[in-house]
């Protein structure tokens, strides 16, 4: 008997462009949602566009969340139950969006994604990325029914948020290489479409790197489109595998070892330089990845990430422990190997 099946969950409305935030109300109306929304956001996005969002929606309430975590998800669930929210709106960067999509899943209500920065590729994905103790979960969550990305707002955000999004996409190169390795060595299920789309997204971004410059709305457009494409790859795969390999494990460890120092995208970019070296050796893809990051003003060294050599080496040698996801790190690399890799690639 044929035993394969898949259920791909994608947004119904994806709005990207200048001034699109003012179409949020119309995009939500088209979804036939009922009741009032709870807006899940963090302080800066709330201050920048909170009022503009609230005045388009019926009797909204707002909850401000901090670092991503299950306590924050619970805070949103409690606030939504208290007002009997009809749906949730995630407004801001990756943390409020992840928190909202996970709370929506638990509550069984719809979720709308309103990114204010092009800093991560979770704006469309049906996955939540949440730390807990010594580990980091990638959990199935409610995918957005609609995504509203206003390129004017996003182009006004600090430039480093956009370069973080670029680096999150460039890391697809090594994420897909890790996924293919896991298929060959461990028989892990692989999606040809998910893998090809994630890799093509990274290639297109690198090909257009010259057009990505601070303050240009065109840049916000290119990066948001790529983030949407990367999120769709995760939805096709039914996992974050197309966009998250060993470079992400390294970043998740840095979040524990050196919290709050650098943005998620910047950490995975530096991780990608090093894990590309592990995949291909000295003459391989790592030099292209480093050059692409460099041309986009994204960090390429430990110092750029504001982490010490010791912190970097600890993250590299323990990254394999945090999740049952086979990557080029195998069952762990020695400190000597980690140092050699970081030195050869110029990260330390
Ligand atoms: N679920 C998924 O598939 C994915 C999830 N993620 C998660 O997303 C998170 C990282 O996302 P980030 O956006 O880097 O973090 P974040 O949500 O903390 O945002 C970074 C900073 O940018 C600020 N910000 C956002 N928009 C702004 C604007 N327009 N103007 C000024 N400041 C603005 C925020 O207030 C915050 O201080 C991590 O937790 C990561 O694991 C990342 C990629 C994929
Ligand atoms: O950040 C992600 C993709 O860019 C996904 O995060 P995870 O590593 O938690 O799956
Ligand atoms: Zn990421």
């Amino acid at each position: 008997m044929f035993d394969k099946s898949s259920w791909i969950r994608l947004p119904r409305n994806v709005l990207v462009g200048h001034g699109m935030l003012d179409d949020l109300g119309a995009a939500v109306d088209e979804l036939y949602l009922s009741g009032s929304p709870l807006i899940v956001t963090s302080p800066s996005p709330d201050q920048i566009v909170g009022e503009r969002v609230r005045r388009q929606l019926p009797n909204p309430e707002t909850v401000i969340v901090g670092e991503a975590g299950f306590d924050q998800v619970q805070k949103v669930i409690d606030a939504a139950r208290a007002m009997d929210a009809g749906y949730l709106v995630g407004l801001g960067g990756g943390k409020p969006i992840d928190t909202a999509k996970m709370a929506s899943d638990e509550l069984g209500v719809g979720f709308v994604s309103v990114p204010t920065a092009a800093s991560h590729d979770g704006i469309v994905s049906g996955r939540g990325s949440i730390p807990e103790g010594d580990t980091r979960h990638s959990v199935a969550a409610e995918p957005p029914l609609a995504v509203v990305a206003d390129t004017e707002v996003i182009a006004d955000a600090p430039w480093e948020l956009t370069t973080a999004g670029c680096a999150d996409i460039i890391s697809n190169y090594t994420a897909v290489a890790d996924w293919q390795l896991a298929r060959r060595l461990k028989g892990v299920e692989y999606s040809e479409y998910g893998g090809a789309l994630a890799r093509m997204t990274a290639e297109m971004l690198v090909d257009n790197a010259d057009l990505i410059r601070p303050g240009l709305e065109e840049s916000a457009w290119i990066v948001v489109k790529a983030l949407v494409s990367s999120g769709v790859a995760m939805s096709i795969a039914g996992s974050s595998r197309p966009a998250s390999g060993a470079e992400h494990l390294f970043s998740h460890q840095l979040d524990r070892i050196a919290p709050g120092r650098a943005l998620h995208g910047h950490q995975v970019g530096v991780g990608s330089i090093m894990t590309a070296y592990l995949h291909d050796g000295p003459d391989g893809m790592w030099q292209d990845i480093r050059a692409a990051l460099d041309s986009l003003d994204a960090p390429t060294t430990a110092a750029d990430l504001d982490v010490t050599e010791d912190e970097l080496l600890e993250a590299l040698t323990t990254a394999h422990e945090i999740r049952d996801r086979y990557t080029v790190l195998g069952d762990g690399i020695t400190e000597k190997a980690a140092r050699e890799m970081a030195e050869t690639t110029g990260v330390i």
Side-chain angles (χ1 to χ4, degrees), residues 257-290:
I257 295 164
R261 304 267 183 86
L263 291 165
H264 166 85
H266 290 164
Q267 293 178 175
V268 303
V270 172
S272 201
I273 298 173
M274 294 185 287
T275 62
Y277 172 83
L278 283 186
H279 274 287
D280 302 334
D283 301 320
M285 189 174 57
W286 72 268
Q287 309 205 38
D288 298 333
I289 291 178
R290 189 176 70 168

Side-chain angles (χ1 to χ4, degrees), residues 54 94 99 122 133 164 187 213 234 272 289 317 329 345:
R54 276 185 283 274
T99 309
R213 291 288 165 257
M234 288 192 256
S272 201
I289 291 178
T317 51
L329 296 172
T345 54

Side-chain angles (χ1 to χ4, degrees), residues 67-68 95 129-131 133 135-136 248-265 267-268 307 311 315 322:
E67 286 303 306
K95 288 171 189 167
S129 178
I130 293 278
T135 187
R136 177 104 189 183
H248 271 67
L249 300 182
F250 159 76
S251 166
H252 298 333
Q253 276 302 65
L254 272 188
D255 285 341
R256 291 185 45 240
I257 295 164
R261 304 267 183 86
L263 291 165
H264 166 85
Q267 293 178 175
V268 303
V307 301
E311 288 166 340
I322 61 166

